[in-house]
Amino acid sequence: MESISFLFSQVSLLPSIYYPLTLLVGLLVGSFLNVVIFRIPKMMEQEFRSECCDFLTINDEKIKQSKDKKITLSTPNSTCPSCQTPIKPWHNIPVISYLFLRGKCANCKTHISVRYPIVEAATGLLSLLTIYLLGFNSAGLVALVLLWSLICLTMIDIDTQLLPDSITLPLLWLGLIANYFGLYTSLEDALLGAIFGYLSLWSVFWLFKIITGKEGMGYGDFKLLAALGAWMGWQFLPLIILLSSLVGAVIGIAGIIILGRNKNIPIPFGPYLAIAGWIAFIWGERIIDFYFQFIGLTA
Ligand SMILES: [Zn+2]
């Protein structure tokens, strides 16, 4: 560990190098996140279908096809969803390719969704903000993994109403491991954060279900809050829940005003939790200090 910190302390002398580098890496990761966001639900569906058919001993045509064409994060190569033309490497440059192609497929001119360059630009800029606020050190660099995972979870939940275990569970472990080294909080607080993060939403879920007979959220939400608790410690859980209701209210009202959103469309809770978790991770201590000053209890 010491040699690593020594290396970082040397590198941290050169902000003129690591800021542009962070932005560049962030943009490239954003481009990869677009692939992850698109493929993980497809991989889950393929696996689920295959397991169901195995269990029920059904011979499904789609399964035979999917066994030949198994989707992973690296295969098959990305193609245009409309004309299936493989995407050339120079059409994969984050943001720039989109602007250069004016948002259309180079081959069939089908419109490419603007969310791809938005995810790339957001990942790049938020990565830069993270390193700016936390520093180019182990705390800042490990926090990038949290940021990138939360971006993936937000987008996948918006698309599919799912928070994949393949992201939430490793994120929980990584939070515990990071805090084994005392990166953001003590291991004890992190462990309690994971436990109470899971149990708090789990009990709200069952209470809500017993009273109303409806399911307001899913198990993925409990795992995500457990992961956030593991990164920040149990002290941040009330703030995260409070902020996620605020974020939910703001986005919900904005959605109704701008899009005239139908109130019956299910809105996933995961994105609010992810956004609130990120705000709490970056500004949580300042928000809590401000609150205590505000109510006249200087901590
Ligand atoms: Zn095309």
Side-chain angles (χ1 to χ4, degrees):
M1 278 310 276
E2 276 200 2
S3 61
I4 297 172
S5 342
F6 177 73
L7 186 70
F8 285 140
S9 68
Q10 294 303 299
V11 181
S12 69
L13 295 172
L14 306 162
S16 59
I17 291 179
Y18 68 71
Y19 282 142
L21 188 72
T22 304
L23 182 64
L24 185 70
V25 170
L27 287 168
L28 291 170
V29 169
S31 180
F32 175 67
L33 294 189
N34 275 323
V35 177
V36 175
I37 292 160
F38 185 72
R39 290 193 184 187
I40 282 195
K42 296 224 178 314
M43 287 156 65
M44 287 167 72
E45 191 195 314
Q46 214 172 49
E47 207 176 293
F48 186 57
R49 185 183 284 273
S50 153
E51 278 169 6
C52 284
C53 290
D54 276 352
F55 180 66
L56 299 168
T57 53
I58 297 171
N59 275 320
D60 184 275
E61 267 311 305
K62 276 193 175 174
I63 292 299
K64 281 182 199 154
Q65 285 172 12
S66 70
K67 276 189 178 144
D68 300 334
K69 285 196 261 176
K70 198 166 165 46
I71 303 168
T72 67
L73 288 182
S74 55
T75 57
N77 290 327
S78 301
T79 58
C80 164
S82 179
C83 68
Q84 314 302 331
T85 309
I87 293 168
K88 298 183 180 78
W90 57 89
H91 289 152
N92 244 333
I93 306 164
V95 187
I96 293 167
S97 291
Y98 183 87
L99 297 175
F100 185 74
L101 294 167
R102 297 203 181 89
K104 289 172 194 152
C105 166
N107 184 51
C108 69
K109 306 293 174 203
T110 302
H111 181 73
I112 306 166
S113 170
V114 72
R115 74 176 245 182
Y116 295 109
I118 288 176
V119 166
E120 290 161 353
T123 308
L125 292 173
L126 288 170
S127 301
L128 188 60
L129 180 74
T130 307
I131 294 299
Y132 175 74
L133 292 172
L134 297 181
F136 192 76
N137 49 37
S138 22
L141 292 171
V142 175
L144 289 178
V145 181
L146 175 66
L147 170 70
W148 298 337
S149 308
L150 291 178
I151 293 174
C152 275
L153 289 170
T154 301
M155 298 310 289
I156 293 175
D157 203 10
I158 290 172
D159 285 349
T160 66
Q161 275 83 58
L162 290 170
L163 293 169
D165 282 354
S166 55
I167 302 177
T168 50
L169 297 183
L171 195 62
L172 193 158
W173 283 110
L174 188 63
L176 291 177
I177 294 166
N179 288 323
Y180 174 78
F181 295 100
L183 219 45
Y184 308 105
T185 185
S186 71
L187 182 60
E188 199 186 339
D189 289 349
L191 186 61
L192 291 175
I195 295 168
F196 289 121
Y198 191 92
L199 287 182
S200 55
L201 284 191
W202 178 85
S203 31
V204 172
F205 171 85
W206 281 104
L207 206 66
F208 190 72
K209 198 175 171 177
I210 290 165
I211 295 169
T212 66
K214 288 178 189 168
E215 294 189 356
M217 52 185 131
Y219 279 75
D221 297 314
F222 319 157
K223 292 171 200 165
L224 175 55
L225 189 60
L228 293 170
W231 278 75
M232 290 170 241
W234 62 270
Q235 295 89 336
F236 284 78
L237 293 171
L239 180 68
I240 297 170
I241 292 179
L242 189 74
L243 282 173
S244 57
S245 333
L246 274 176
V247 172
V250 169
I251 295 180
I253 292 166
I256 291 167
I257 292 169
I258 300 166
L259 304 168
R261 199 183 227 286
N262 182 346
K263 276 169 234 161
N264 292 321
I265 298 172
I267 304 169
F269 186 55
Y272 305 150
L273 213 49
I275 295 167
W278 184 248
I279 295 171
F281 183 72
I282 294 290
W283 291 287
E285 260 168 46
R286 266 174 264 181
I287 296 172
I288 292 171
D289 283 352
F290 177 79
Y291 174 75
F292 280 123
Q293 274 174 19
F294 186 72
I295 61 167
L297 285 167
T298 2

